[in-house]
Amino acid sequence: MIDPRLKRLPGIAALLIIGFAVGLTVAVSAVRSDHPTSLQSAILRLSPAPSGADYNQLLDVWNRVHSEYVNRNVNDQALLQGALSGLVAGLGDPYSSYLTADSAKKFEAEISGTFEGLGMQVGYKNNQVTIIAPLPTSPAERAGIKSGDVILTVDKKDVSAMTLDEVINAIRGQQGTAVTLTIQRGGEPQPRTFSVVREKITVDSVTIKVVEHNGKRLADIAISSFNQDTGRQLRAQAKELGVQNMDGVLLDLRDDPGGYLDQAIDVASVFMPNGLIVAEVDRDGQRKTFNAAGNAFLADKKVVVLVNGGSASASEIVAGALQDSGRGTLVGTQTFGKGSVQDYQTLADGSSLKLTVAKWLTPKGRSISEQGITPDLVVTIPANAKDGEDIQQARALDSLAPAP
């Protein structure tokens, strides 16, 4: 049973530094034994019973640590947390992880929209730790970090042998402190080094402005992430500005790393009066569908959606739904490609387990894992583009309101 206070969350397993994981099911597990058990008896209670693995070796290492380690004051809780982290890391899935209570608190603060860090999302792309997107005006963006940059080191520590959460924990930290990143940018022979000071960051997920283009009055709606309040913010701001009386909508999801699944459904439902938005398929092939939630007060408006390589998870769900349903034209470049679903459970001691449990598909059954979504109109930004010149937005506005 999902705790009604918590939500299902899509996003990208990173942190803002942000950490969203598409379709993250959030629940509370209060399972706790009233009596401590020995490691051996705990292993005997595993279900299903272990096979093909020598668990006596685990017991042997545990006993040797306690009997031979030079420091007699061994912290059993720290050992268990290390074992739990290693157990989940053994899956080889960058989006599954065990978080200590402290790390879990930071993760939950970040997905709520307020955190201390650099203001960027990271994930795995081609087996490399990659910048999904820096947030607008964030320390990362101001430093010149871009979507697609590959992180090589954090404070001179090689990230190739680190889990994604270990990389995230190394980057984030107290505001006012600095972290040094070595980054490889595509097409450049030598890595770049960035020293960036962490800040407290609050994410305003929705901004709307009115644009006049070729005699038409258009709404330019930018969503930077799908946090707990994005759907409500979109509806409230759109109605306040009278978007329903405008000639069209430009929905800008570029560099949007994702967020809560219910918010992605709510946002898509603003434009789709009915129909499938996203489907999930679990390990047994069981399919769960999520349909438009109603109250599509912009259902009659022409919509163009801007996407790029920083558009991930929840933003890909919205983009895929609008594209597959024919409600929106996608303009920009290939999206990131985050199509897995994580189950996020808070355990009795405040720690948490994030585990990949399913894949998600667009309404037409497309899996976007790794390859992402291809826009209807591919518009790349040339290397010689002038500062402040937004070629993708210009093409999108032309598509919304062609010259007479």
Side-chain angles (χ1 to χ4, degrees):
M1 173 71 90
I2 295 174
D3 189 319
R5 297 168 299 173
L6 299 172
K7 299 184 179 181
R8 194 174 180 84
L9 191 173
I12 192 104
L15 289 112
L16 292 169
I17 202 150
I18 204 169
F20 299 150
V22 169
L24 199 60
T25 303
V26 185
V28 174
S29 172
V31 177
R32 183 194 293 274
S33 174
D34 292 332
H35 304 286
T37 60
S38 70
L39 184 61
Q40 185 168 12
S41 63
I43 290 174
L44 292 174
R45 292 167 57 190
L46 293 177
S47 178
S51 62
D54 185 1
Y55 285 85
N56 286 325
Q57 191 172 33
L58 175 60
L59 292 172
D60 185 36
V61 171
W62 178 273
N63 291 334
R64 285 177 182 274
V65 166
H66 282 80
S67 63
E68 300 176 15
Y69 181 60
V70 65
N71 186 349
R72 290 179 176 272
N73 298 321
V74 175
N75 186 328
D76 283 354
Q77 184 63 24
L79 292 183
L80 287 171
Q81 288 180 338
L84 289 168
S85 296
L87 181 111
V88 181
L91 294 171
D93 174 17
Y95 299 114
S96 295
S97 61
Y98 169 80
L99 302 178
T100 64
D102 183 58
S103 295
K105 286 180 181 178
K106 292 178 181 178
F107 176 79
E108 289 159 12
E110 288 162 355
I111 62 176
S112 73
T114 301
F115 57 93
E116 294 181 358
L118 302 188
M120 64 184 189
Q121 184 176 13
V122 301
Y124 270 102
K125 188 79 169 179
N126 299 323
N127 295 318
Q128 296 176 305
V129 180
T130 304
I131 306 295
I132 309 308
L135 292 178
T137 73
S138 66
E141 185 187 61
R142 296 198 307 271
I145 294 172
K146 297 182 178 181
S147 298
D149 286 347
V150 174
I151 299 176
L152 303 178
T153 69
V154 178
D155 286 335
K156 298 184 179 181
K157 296 178 182 177
D158 185 357
V159 305
S160 61
M162 298 167 68
T163 67
L164 189 60
D165 285 317
E166 287 172 340
V167 176
I168 289 164
N169 287 330
I171 295 174
R172 65 187 176 188
Q174 186 176 358
Q175 62 176 322
T177 60
V179 60
T180 300
L181 306 179
T182 303
I183 284 174
Q184 183 66 60
R185 182 162 296 169
E188 296 185 356
Q190 297 298 324
R192 297 184 178 208
T193 300
F194 296 86
S195 181
V196 191
V197 176
R198 303 175 178 102
E199 296 179 7
K200 184 173 183 179
I201 297 169
T202 300
V203 180
D204 294 323
S205 65
V206 180
T207 57
I208 304 179
K209 59 184 178 182
V210 180
V211 178
E212 300 284 345
H213 189 74
N214 288 333
K216 301 293 186 179
R217 195 163 179 261
L218 309 171
D220 182 354
I221 300 174
I223 299 180
S224 61
S225 64
F226 288 79
N227 65 28
Q228 296 168 323
D229 201 33
T230 298
R232 187 202 63 79
Q233 287 183 47
L234 172 60
R235 292 175 183 276
Q237 292 185 41
K239 288 179 179 178
E240 183 179 353
L241 288 173
V243 173
Q244 62 267 39
N245 298 319
M246 296 182 188
D247 298 305
V249 173
L250 174 60
L251 180 60
D252 192 343
L253 299 179
R254 291 176 298 178
D255 295 333
D256 180 334
Y260 286 104
L261 175 61
D262 66 333
Q263 298 302 304
I265 293 169
D266 195 10
V267 168
S269 297
V270 168
F271 306 99
M272 294 174 57
N274 51 55
L276 178 64
I277 290 176
V278 67
E280 293 179 3
V281 181
D282 67 14
R283 61 190 285 177
D284 298 319
Q286 296 297 311
R287 184 183 178 98
K288 183 175 183 179
T289 58
F290 299 86
N291 294 311
N295 191 20
F297 73 100
L298 298 180
D300 62 338
K301 298 301 172 188
K302 185 176 181 180
V303 183
V304 171
V305 185
L306 277 170
V307 294
N308 65 5
S311 305
S313 72
S315 56
E316 290 176 294
I317 287 175
V318 173
L322 295 180
Q323 186 182 55
D324 279 8
S325 66
R327 274 296 293 125
T329 300
L330 270 56
V331 175
T333 55
Q334 199 85 357
T335 64
F336 181 78
K338 173 64 169 67
S340 62
V341 181
Q342 280 71 44
D343 181 79
Y344 181 83
Q345 292 191 358
T346 300
L347 307 178
D349 65 349
S351 62
S352 63
L353 175 64
K354 181 153 57 80
L355 193 65
T356 299
V357 296
K359 300 289 186 180
W360 67 263
L361 307 174
T362 71
K364 289 186 176 180
R366 293 183 293 164
S367 173
I368 59 88
S369 289
E370 298 300 331
Q371 72 264 26
I373 297 173
T374 303
D376 302 292
L377 177 59
V378 175
V379 180
T380 58
I381 299 176
N384 61 353
K386 299 176 182 177
D387 289 342
E389 182 182 21
D390 193 337
I391 295 173
Q392 291 173 332
Q393 184 190 60
R395 293 291 297 276
L397 291 173
D398 284 341
S399 181
L400 265 178

